[in-house]
Amino acid sequence: MAELAWPVMRRGKRGAAMLGWLKPLPDELVRRRPVLGAAYAWALMAGGDLQAAQDRLRDAERWLAAKQGPTAGPSDLSGEMIVADEEEFLRLPGTIAGYRAALAQARGDIPAAVRHARLALELVPEDDHLRRGAANALLGLAAWTSGDLEAAHRTFSDGIAGVRMAGNIRDAIGGVAALADIRITQGLLRQAMRTYERGLELAEEHDGQVFHETADIYAGMSELYRERDDRTAAMDLLSRSREKGEVRYRWLVAMARLRQAEGNLGGALDLLDQAERRYAGGLFPNARPAAALKARAWLAQGRLDEALDWARERSLSVRDDLSYLREYEHMTFARVLIARYRRDGEEGGMREALGFAARLLQAAEEGGRMGSVLDILIVQALAHHARGDVPASLAPLKRALALAEPEGCVRAFADEGRPIAMLLDAAAKQGIAPSYIRRLLAAFGKADTRAAASPTPIEQLSEREREVLQLLETDMSGPELARRLHVSLNTLRTHTKNIYDKLGVNNRRAAVRVAEELGLLRQAVPPIE
């Protein structure tokens, strides 16, 4: 009974129910039925037991080898092979090749995944839309994991079209989030939104069925509205996502990022902790791990030591080989290095960080991953700013603005806090994208705990701090400055630290350079009695 039900169960993705049927059966009974064994392997894969799935596939392959002749396969098979569904048995070589591709993809063996998926396409008839669609989808996932996003989108789209033609609407809807993720990494946020909208249209055509996959579509759309800084729409979409079923990984991440945009970093970290525990792995590449998102939140809170611990646990280094799967981690690591420079002022570390960012930029550009390019350009601007070199910061910032404006990006800048706000202010004074920058700067006035109520540096500095800043341009020593200001040396140090923090620098020379570029030293300072 279970063997005959297998094709229907496969289309319905009811792996847990299949396991419930199969586990009570005697092992010998399952081993003598290769079609049933393959079904068991599929159910085990759906449950995450990859080794057991491989063992079941190996049993089915032995029967196929034995069918070819007495010397074609191993001789440890006992009893006679039992086949209740001849059609499924004839299709078994293509089925097994597809499952082998899925196993390899889940284990990160991309060459093997490609090899088995191509073999499945050779073995599966043209009219078998389900198996051919699955094989094409796996080729798309392999290309995505490798960072070839245009090939990934094209091939995965073909796969989703195939499974939809086979009547597997659940998988077709589930694939929408993956297609949108690819477009987002390519920097094509508007195309990603259209992809989500088409997915919802497909779900509405089958409104009589409840698809949990629709929840991921709403969560993904919420992230795009959050990026536009439309938090009301983002929250509404997350509410609709929650109505579709249990709290899922994507919902937790989307809600965490929305909380971070609101300035609730503690709430964001709590949600990311839950997301990290909830993540179950699978065939889709985990290109933006929750742990890396947590590291960015720690940096936003000023918790550099926790972020450094994360980098050590992940064995991150500026000398790492670059890959798409670690790209988000590496971009986060570059931010950690910048934060460490702000604290420690070690120039050699900053030179390494800039060289690392240049390597990341080249790799992302070559892969057409313009969403990553935007992130790396912002990293470069922040790195130069930390050194007090505003002119060097403006070159990558200008390019970042050109990439971001057509897609309506806001939080990509606003999430960086005060340093990027000051650079945007400097860019506007240079006539760079003035209207777009006004929109971006407006976002800093909304519940972002790292940005001042106004991002303008002149308004951030107190009158006394501006007096101190003016004197920092001189050659006077610390004690001489304290005597000139009639304050203690400790009070002077407090003022100086506040200035450095507000300007996003870590030394006197950098503070003066930033102040000069922003025009803060042109204002007259009242005489000090």
Side-chain angles (χ1 to χ4, degrees), residues 359-427:
R359 288 176 59 213
L360 287 169
L361 182 63
Q362 181 179 354
E365 287 176 328
E366 291 174 353
R369 300 186 293 275
M370 303 312 290
S372 296
V373 167
L374 172 60
D375 199 44
I376 299 163
L377 289 169
I378 291 173
V379 166
Q380 289 181 321
L382 291 170
H384 288 300
H385 174 265
R387 303 176 82 187
D389 194 344
V390 174
S393 296
L394 292 181
L397 181 63
K398 182 178 180 179
R399 188 178 170 203
L401 291 166
L403 285 174
E405 184 174 12
E407 302 299 329
C409 297
V410 175
R411 298 309 312 179
F413 298 93
D415 287 345
E416 301 295 342
R418 182 180 293 115
I420 207 71
M422 288 190 294
L423 283 177
L424 289 170
D425 190 52

Side-chain angles (χ1 to χ4, degrees), residues 228-272:
R228 297 174 183 175
D229 209 36
D230 187 342
R231 301 180 204 165
T232 301
M235 182 59 75
D236 178 65
L237 286 161
L238 282 178
S239 297
R240 298 174 73 178
S241 174
R242 184 67 181 85
E243 292 168 359
K244 292 296 178 180
E246 76 280 3
V247 171
R248 294 162 66 90
Y249 173 80
R250 289 181 71 102
W251 186 93
L252 290 166
V253 170
M255 182 61 81
R257 301 195 76 205
L258 184 56
R259 290 286 181 250
Q260 185 168 354
E262 294 168 347
N264 184 359
L265 293 168
L269 283 165
D270 288 343
L271 289 161
L272 289 172

Side-chain angles (χ1 to χ4, degrees), residues 57-366:
L57 285 180
R58 189 177 295 116
D59 289 340
E61 288 169 331
R62 287 172 176 170
W63 283 115
L64 288 176
K67 186 78 171 177
Q68 296 173 9
T71 61
S75 58
D76 62 344
L77 298 171
S78 60
E80 294 184 1
M81 178 175 63
I82 300 173
V83 175
D85 188 330
E86 289 289 344
E87 181 182 354
E88 283 294 315
F89 181 75
L90 292 174
R91 296 174 185 265
L92 194 55
T95 299
I96 291 175
Y99 289 169
R100 285 288 182 193
L103 275 172
Q105 173 70 20
R107 287 175 166 158
D109 188 348
I110 304 308
V114 171
R115 185 172 67 252
H116 286 298
R118 287 176 176 167
L119 176 60
L121 289 174
E122 292 175 8
L123 295 171
V124 173
E126 290 289 337
D127 61 351
D128 191 338
H129 300 299
L130 182 60
R131 288 175 177 81
R132 294 189 68 83
N136 273 316
L138 285 164
L139 284 174
L141 291 175
W144 185 9
T145 305
S146 301
D148 188 353
L149 299 192
E150 194 54 45
H153 191 275
R154 181 178 62 254
T155 314
F156 194 80
S157 295
D158 290 344
I160 293 302
V163 299
R164 182 179 177 183
M165 289 177 66
N168 192 341
I169 304 302
R170 186 181 295 275
D171 270 345
I173 294 174
V176 166
L179 289 170
D181 281 345
I182 293 171
R183 287 305 193 211
I184 289 169
T185 307
Q186 289 178 302
L188 303 173
L189 274 58
R190 298 188 188 279
Q191 289 191 30
M193 183 63 81
R194 287 195 289 272
T195 298
Y196 283 133
E197 290 167 350
R198 288 193 293 269
L200 287 181
E201 290 171 2
L202 178 60
E204 289 169 1
E205 291 173 9
H206 299 80
D207 198 36
Q209 306 175 55
V210 177
F211 297 117
H212 291 305
E213 288 78 1
T214 309
D216 286 344
I217 294 179
Y218 282 124
M221 293 175 73
S222 172
E223 288 233 51
L224 291 177
Y225 275 100
R226 184 204 67 88
E227 178 55 46
R228 297 174 183 175
D229 209 36
D230 187 342
R231 301 180 204 165
T232 301
M235 182 59 75
D236 178 65
L237 286 161
L238 282 178
S239 297
R240 298 174 73 178
S241 174
R242 184 67 181 85
E243 292 168 359
K244 292 296 178 180
E246 76 280 3
V247 171
R248 294 162 66 90
Y249 173 80
R250 289 181 71 102
W251 186 93
L252 290 166
V253 170
M255 182 61 81
R257 301 195 76 205
L258 184 56
R259 290 286 181 250
Q260 185 168 354
E262 294 168 347
N264 184 359
L265 293 168
L269 283 165
D270 288 343
L271 289 161
L272 289 172
D273 281 336
Q274 294 179 52
E276 196 170 17
R277 292 192 297 270
R278 187 70 60 92
Y279 183 73
L283 300 179
F284 290 6
N286 186 17
R288 195 178 64 184
L293 289 166
K294 285 169 58 178
R296 294 195 182 200
W298 284 327
L299 290 176
Q301 286 185 318
R303 294 163 61 182
L304 176 58
D305 288 338
E306 283 95 330
L308 287 168
D309 287 342
W310 163 79
R312 281 190 288 269
E313 289 171 5
R314 296 296 298 155
S315 301
L316 294 169
S317 165
V318 295
R319 290 171 291 279
D320 285 346
D321 293 332
L322 303 184
S323 69
Y324 168 64
L325 278 187
R326 302 203 78 185
E327 193 164 71
Y328 192 83
E329 286 187 315
H330 282 145
M331 293 186 298
T332 304
F333 179 52
R335 285 173 164 78
V336 174
L337 296 177
I338 294 170
R340 188 175 66 180
Y341 172 80
R342 290 186 189 278
R343 185 188 70 182
D344 300 340
E346 204 278 301
E347 188 64 31
M350 177 55 81
R351 285 195 297 271
E352 286 189 336
L354 284 168
F356 186 48
R359 288 176 59 213
L360 287 169
L361 182 63
Q362 181 179 354
E365 287 176 328
E366 291 174 353

Side-chain angles (χ1 to χ4, degrees), residues 40-41 44-45 49-58 107:
Y40 204 166
L44 289 164
M45 275 193 287
D49 194 343
L50 303 186
Q51 184 57 52
Q54 179 166 287
D55 293 340
R56 291 297 177 185
L57 285 180
R58 189 177 295 116
R107 287 175 166 158

